[in-house]
Amino acid sequence: MKRNHYDILDIPENASATWIERAHQKRLLAIEQDTSLNGKKRASALADANEAHRVLTDEKLRAAYDVALLAKREADSKPSVITKMMQIVLLIGLPLVAGGTYFYMDNQAKVRAQQEQAERIAEEARLEAKRIKFELDRKVAEELDRQDREKAERARIEAQRIAHEEEMRNGRFVPLPTLEQQAREKQAADLVERNRLIQEEIERRKIQLELERQKRFLQQSQRGY
């Protein structure tokens, strides 16, 4: 099983940027001092360490990587699509062995029921994969959007501070917004953000309802035979 970036640098998943830098330098030194590594293995180990450092020191890349890592763990804890496909193979009528003699099921009603069950399992697997992908895309988008908003707010405050200092140096003092003004601006921004989250939740719920409707329709269709 391939190690993740945190395992490669031997750090916890909540490690700070300083911690990551120290761990990266320590890992590079350990690779250089490891005499058991030949040229190819040493190059591969260095590439893994540098890739882990590149991803974990970039805020957006790290956020996306953390979400993908969490989704992978959730998916690994559930029956895989391959397992469900194996169930389909076993349900569509493989030859049965009895006393060394091969025979095939010739009961058409039973075969049809098994095929319908296999189709239902395949459809459920497809819907589950679609749900997991939707949740992953939503989490990544939310995290990237949050980071962009925080950066924009920090840049706005810094620009305001620089402009204020420039005005003071030029003798044209312009007072910074009062706490009350800042509170009103923050309240308005929070309201816009809350409305955006509500709209996203509505869209997410619509998709979930559509998936549930498709699943119920499939189950009703199977029972109708």
Side-chain angles (χ1 to χ4, degrees):
M1 181 178 179
K2 187 175 180 181
R3 297 185 300 168
N4 61 46
H5 291 337
Y6 295 101
D7 292 338
I8 290 174
L9 297 183
D10 193 21
I11 57 175
E13 295 183 7
N14 61 348
S16 64
T18 303
W19 195 343
I20 293 172
E21 290 292 343
R22 288 201 303 266
H24 178 237
Q25 294 301 322
K26 182 179 178 181
R27 178 59 181 159
L28 294 181
L29 181 61
I31 293 172
E32 292 297 332
Q33 294 177 348
D34 190 347
T35 58
S36 65
L37 296 176
N38 58 27
K40 186 175 181 180
K41 290 183 177 180
R42 188 186 305 277
S44 177
L46 288 172
D48 289 343
N50 289 330
E51 176 63 13
H53 175 263
R54 183 184 71 83
V55 172
L56 299 182
T57 52
D58 186 289
E59 291 184 2
K60 289 187 176 181
L61 292 179
R62 183 177 182 181
Y65 180 78
D66 288 345
V67 172
L69 189 62
L70 177 61
K72 183 178 183 303
R73 289 171 179 168
E74 291 178 352
D76 290 343
S77 65
K78 299 178 180 179
S80 66
V81 175
I82 294 177
T83 301
K84 292 190 175 183
M85 295 306 294
M86 290 177 64
Q87 294 174 357
I88 294 173
V89 172
L90 294 175
L91 287 170
I92 61 177
L94 288 178
L96 302 178
V97 180
T101 303
Y102 291 90
F103 65 95
Y104 291 92
M105 298 172 59
D106 57 359
N107 188 321
Q108 295 301 319
K110 186 178 294 185
V111 171
R112 185 166 58 251
Q114 289 177 340
Q115 289 176 342
E116 290 170 357
Q117 185 177 0
E119 291 173 359
R120 184 170 64 255
I121 292 174
E123 180 64 14
E124 290 176 353
R126 186 189 67 80
L127 293 175
E128 180 65 13
K130 185 176 180 180
R131 186 192 67 80
I132 291 175
K133 182 180 183 302
F134 169 74
E135 290 293 333
L136 176 60
D137 292 343
R138 183 178 64 83
K139 289 178 181 179
V140 171
E142 288 178 353
E143 179 62 23
L144 294 179
D145 186 58
R146 182 189 64 80
Q147 292 182 6
D148 288 340
R149 290 197 308 274
E150 290 180 354
K151 285 185 177 180
E153 179 63 17
R154 288 196 297 269
R156 185 188 66 80
I157 294 174
E158 180 64 15
Q160 190 178 56
R161 184 188 63 79
I162 293 174
H164 178 69
E165 292 177 353
E166 183 66 23
E167 293 292 341
M168 292 185 64
R169 284 195 296 270
N170 295 335
R172 298 191 302 273
F173 176 75
V174 177
L176 289 172
T178 63
L179 293 177
E180 183 179 355
Q181 291 173 330
Q182 292 178 353
R184 285 199 300 269
E185 291 176 359
K186 186 177 185 305
Q187 185 178 11
D190 289 344
L191 180 60
V192 172
E193 175 63 13
R194 195 156 51 245
N195 290 335
R196 186 187 66 81
L197 293 176
I198 290 173
Q199 291 299 320
E200 288 183 355
E201 180 62 23
I202 291 173
E203 292 300 321
R204 185 182 70 83
R205 184 57 181 164
K206 285 181 179 178
I207 293 176
Q208 286 183 339
L209 290 174
E210 178 61 20
L211 292 176
E212 292 173 1
R213 187 190 67 79
Q214 293 179 12
K215 188 173 182 179
R216 286 196 302 271
F217 176 77
L218 177 64
Q219 293 173 346
Q220 291 172 358
S221 299
Q222 299 299 330
R223 287 197 296 267
Y225 283 102

